[in-house]
Amino acid sequence: ENKKPIKDAPEMTLTYIISKGSVILDMEAMFKTMIPQQAGMDVKIMVEGSSISYPAIMSVGASLPDTDLAVSMEMMGRTMKVTDIKNYNRKVEARESVTVEAGTFDAYKVTETTETKAMVGGAQINVSTSWFVDGIGKVKSDEYDNKGNLQSSMRLISITK
């Protein structure tokens, strides 16, 4: 089975913004951690388009809005397109129990399709399933390519209060 966890995968910190009843993934902060700063060079990340957001209060059966982002970077006076990202078929599928290292939670299961067109690496379509917990946010996520191969995985490992 191709659905085994990726060993030695890099860690990434995600930042979410809560605004007007939505939880919004800060894509600019995410890409800043993904694109390494060149020694002594100032690299500016620019994100345009609709943000990836989730309702602060979810309900099973709800369809979530599509998103369409364009990410560019400016370095040494030149602007380069990094990637275009579209998220669609976004839906709150169920409410179910999910267990991760941080504990067992009653969570909302959300599925979505992500189409990425990268400057390097070409186009890719992935399907992800994520679990969200009221008052905490995303606790688990798995993303697979169109062949069923695991592309990324996220688990909440601890909660600090």
Side-chain angles (χ1 to χ4, degrees):
E1 175 115 14
N2 292 331
K3 298 179 181 179
K4 295 179 183 172
I6 301 168
K7 293 185 180 187
D8 301 321
E11 290 187 19
M12 178 186 300
T13 300
L14 300 178
T15 302
Y16 288 89
I17 300 164
I18 299 172
S19 176
K20 299 178 184 173
S22 293
V23 180
I24 304 162
L25 176 58
D26 186 342
M27 295 297 288
E28 188 171 325
M30 183 183 85
F31 275 96
K32 282 182 180 177
T33 65
M34 293 173 62
I35 298 173
Q37 297 289 319
Q38 302 297 322
M41 290 188 209
D42 182 30
V43 178
K44 181 179 178 186
I45 305 298
M46 296 154 296
V47 178
E48 297 176 0
S50 54
S51 299
I52 299 172
S53 66
Y54 302 90
I57 299 172
M58 292 194 183
S59 60
V60 175
S63 293
L64 306 180
D66 294 348
T67 65
D68 193 351
L69 299 168
V71 181
S72 302
M73 79 175 176
E74 184 180 297
M75 183 172 68
M76 297 174 46
R78 299 184 69 159
T79 301
M80 298 177 287
K81 175 87 94 170
V82 175
T83 189
D84 289 321
I85 303 169
K86 295 179 188 226
N87 289 42
Y88 52 92
N89 296 334
R90 304 178 71 222
K91 187 170 184 182
V92 182
E93 297 285 348
R95 190 159 187 180
E96 59 190 32
S97 180
V98 64
T99 300
V100 295
E101 189 174 331
T104 299
F105 303 96
D106 183 31
Y108 289 96
K109 178 181 176 182
V110 176
T111 58
E112 59 192 308
T113 302
T114 303
E115 182 178 333
T116 306
K117 293 180 183 173
M119 180 180 75
V120 177
Q124 187 170 3
I125 297 177
N126 292 336
V127 176
S128 65
T129 303
S130 301
W131 289 263
F132 291 83
V133 175
D134 291 338
I136 297 174
K138 189 185 290 190
V139 298
K140 178 180 177 181
S141 183
D142 293 319
E143 186 171 20
Y144 297 91
D145 66 16
N146 59 1
K147 296 178 183 172
N149 298 308
L150 183 64
Q151 298 299 301
S152 68
S153 179
M154 186 282 297
R155 305 288 187 269
L156 180 66
I157 57 171
S158 67
I159 299 172
T160 304
K161 293 185 179 185

